[in-house]
Amino acid sequence: MTKDDHLTFRQFMLKEYREHGVSKDLIFLLEDIATACRTISHKIRSGAFAGTLGATDDTNVQGETQKELDVIANDQFMLHCANCSRVAALVSEELDNVIWLKDKAEAGDYIIYFDPLDGSSNLELNISVGSIFSIVELKEPLTELTDEAVLIPGSEQICAGYSLYGPSTSLVVTTGHGVNGFTHLAGSGEFLLTFPNMTVPAATNEFAINASRQKFWEPPVTRYIDECLAGPDGPRGKKFNMRWVASMVAEVHRILTRGGVFMYPRDSENASMGGRLRLLYETNPMAFIIEQAGGKASTGEGRMLDVQPTDLHQRIGVVLGSSEEVDLVESYHS
Ligand code: AFP
């Protein structure tokens, strides 16, 4: 493939259909999600002129002030995910309860979980933000349409992805056959394949954590970070670098691009809520993507994708990225 004949998203997904049997219903749904992301990207980049970079007067189920663009992004996902007749329900960070799109949910139907705009406290700072989505295909019909019915472990995902609204607009997707990155070519309306077969190196010298929370960390986290900071003379025997963007999508994208470990651990201050980041529409989709790229994703004690959800907006501790680092952090917890 020469530099300038990148596959379009549709061309790539048809390859996934031919080579891996990815369903056309899923492909059309992903094209609709890609449209939502392109529209959200445009709304963000023109937000300063539309006066939509600020906050609304509302708070969401998380108790956080909703940004205008949180609402706009949520509306875009709701609009574009409703076209597919197999989508039985939507679960959004911005909505208290499940949105049921059908009066019964059959085997083969999709549940879509999404954080329409993650990192939105960065919007006014012009720092990268993103959208995260996760798709589960029901193996059995649902007997009742309740919030509890969609509390499905991340291991059941058939697809996950994110869009990163940074210097360029990226779309990164897995359908269970590796991870592939696309870049939006402005004007063409297309996401073109630019980063095929993204993989996370097993080793790294870069960690990401909000170091201002050090006094709340549990001992295994403190030990791991202290050893990274000790550098070449310490037990790790090498220098470590640190990054913190306060935007999980940007951190994950960096890790997919050059390796690293991202940590938002449960700590003594957030333990009563279970952690900071949300399981169903943040850590589960990112865990699926990272694992598909050869990395690991853990709660600190065990595999993220094995967690049985207990609440729609459940929060959880997360350590994800280069497998050697995640293994080491888990070993300190056990
Ligand atoms: P917002 O969506 O409220 O900006 O939070 C972003 C986020 O959920 C995740 O994307 C970041 O990694 C993390 O929170 C940043 O948390 P801190 O604000 O504690 O650094």
Side-chain angles (χ1 to χ4, degrees):
M1 182 191 310
T2 62
K3 192 171 64 65
D4 56 0
D5 66 354
H6 300 280
L7 291 180
T8 65
F9 187 66
R10 159 84 53 103
Q11 287 168 334
F12 178 82
M13 291 311 297
L14 286 177
K15 266 172 89 276
E16 295 258 292
Y17 162 70
R18 289 192 296 272
E19 294 169 7
H20 304 295
V22 172
S23 97
K24 290 195 175 174
D25 286 327
L26 180 60
I27 292 171
F28 295 145
L29 172 58
L30 284 172
E31 287 187 331
D32 283 338
I33 290 174
T35 300
C37 295
R38 274 198 303 276
T39 306
I40 292 165
S41 179
H42 169 69
K43 297 282 188 183
I44 291 167
R45 297 177 192 292
S46 56
F49 306 111
T52 54
L53 293 179
T56 66
D57 299 333
D58 304 321
T59 55
N60 61 18
V61 65
Q62 325 286 340
E64 294 161 346
T65 303
Q66 273 186 320
K67 301 278 186 169
E68 298 227 24
L69 278 161
D70 282 324
V71 177
I72 290 167
N74 190 65
D75 291 346
Q76 285 300 318
F77 267 85
M78 302 281 289
L79 173 68
H80 290 286
C81 289
N83 298 330
C84 173
S85 61
R86 285 176 68 170
V87 176
L90 303 175
V91 176
S92 169
E93 181 196 54
E94 298 299 333
L95 300 174
D96 296 12
N97 300 107
V98 181
I99 303 295
W100 294 99
L101 300 181
K102 300 167 72 172
D103 55 13
K104 57 184 190 313
E106 315 279 356
D109 281 355
Y110 298 142
I111 312 288
I112 308 178
Y113 310 80
F114 55 89
D115 180 356
L117 200 57
D118 182 68
S120 51
S121 58
N122 284 323
L123 278 170
E124 290 154 297
L125 315 179
N126 198 16
I127 292 174
S128 301
V129 294
S131 302
I132 310 170
F133 61 90
S134 163
I135 302 174
V136 162
E137 180 176 348
L138 293 176
K139 287 180 175 158
E140 305 292 335
L142 296 183
T143 51
E144 48 183 8
L145 304 190
T146 60
D147 287 6
E148 287 68 34
V150 300
L151 300 181
I152 299 169
S155 54
E156 295 294 310
Q157 293 174 88
I158 60 162
C159 176
Y162 62 78
S163 190
L164 177 60
Y165 313 113
S168 59
T169 296
S170 304
L171 179 68
V172 171
V173 175
T174 182
T175 58
H177 313 287
V179 178
N180 291 280
F182 303 81
T183 302
H184 179 229
L185 178 60
S188 73
E190 292 282 6
F191 275 111
L192 299 179
L193 182 66
T194 46
F195 305 104
N197 192 27
M198 299 180 88
T199 54
V200 179
T204 184
N205 68 346
E206 193 161 68
F207 68 89
I209 195 167
N210 180 343
S212 73
R213 303 184 63 84
Q214 183 182 25
K215 60 181 178 291
F216 303 124
W217 293 341
E218 296 175 352
V221 174
T222 302
R223 174 182 176 188
Y224 174 76
I225 297 296
D226 284 349
E227 291 182 354
C228 290
L229 295 175
D233 304 333
R236 302 301 310 273
K238 63 181 180 177
K239 181 176 178 345
F240 276 77
N241 191 21
M242 195 199 102
R243 285 284 182 275
W244 189 251
V245 187
S247 177
M248 183 188 196
V249 178
E251 315 271 10
V252 168
H253 195 72
R254 183 187 61 249
I255 288 169
L256 280 168
T257 305
R258 70 182 189 204
V261 60
F262 169 81
M263 305 172 76
Y264 213 116
R266 183 192 60 225
D267 61 33
S268 60
E269 189 190 53
N270 66 36
S272 59
M273 296 191 298
R276 161 72 193 251
L277 301 183
R278 295 80 171 187
L279 174 62
L280 287 180
Y281 39 77
E282 288 178 340
T283 63
N284 264 348
M286 292 312 203
F288 186 32
I289 292 166
I290 289 290
E291 284 198 359
Q292 282 290 311
K296 282 197 167 183
S298 171
T299 63
E301 276 108 3
R303 185 180 183 235
M304 183 65 67
L305 295 184
D306 291 340
V307 172
Q308 172 55 53
T310 55
D311 179 79
L312 213 50
H313 300 289
Q314 169 177 358
R315 295 170 188 256
I316 196 164
V318 57
V319 182
L320 60 78
S322 294
S323 55
E324 288 177 9
E325 300 307 306
V326 177
D327 285 344
L328 188 59
V329 174
E330 279 193 347
S331 72
Y332 291 171
H333 278 83
S334 57

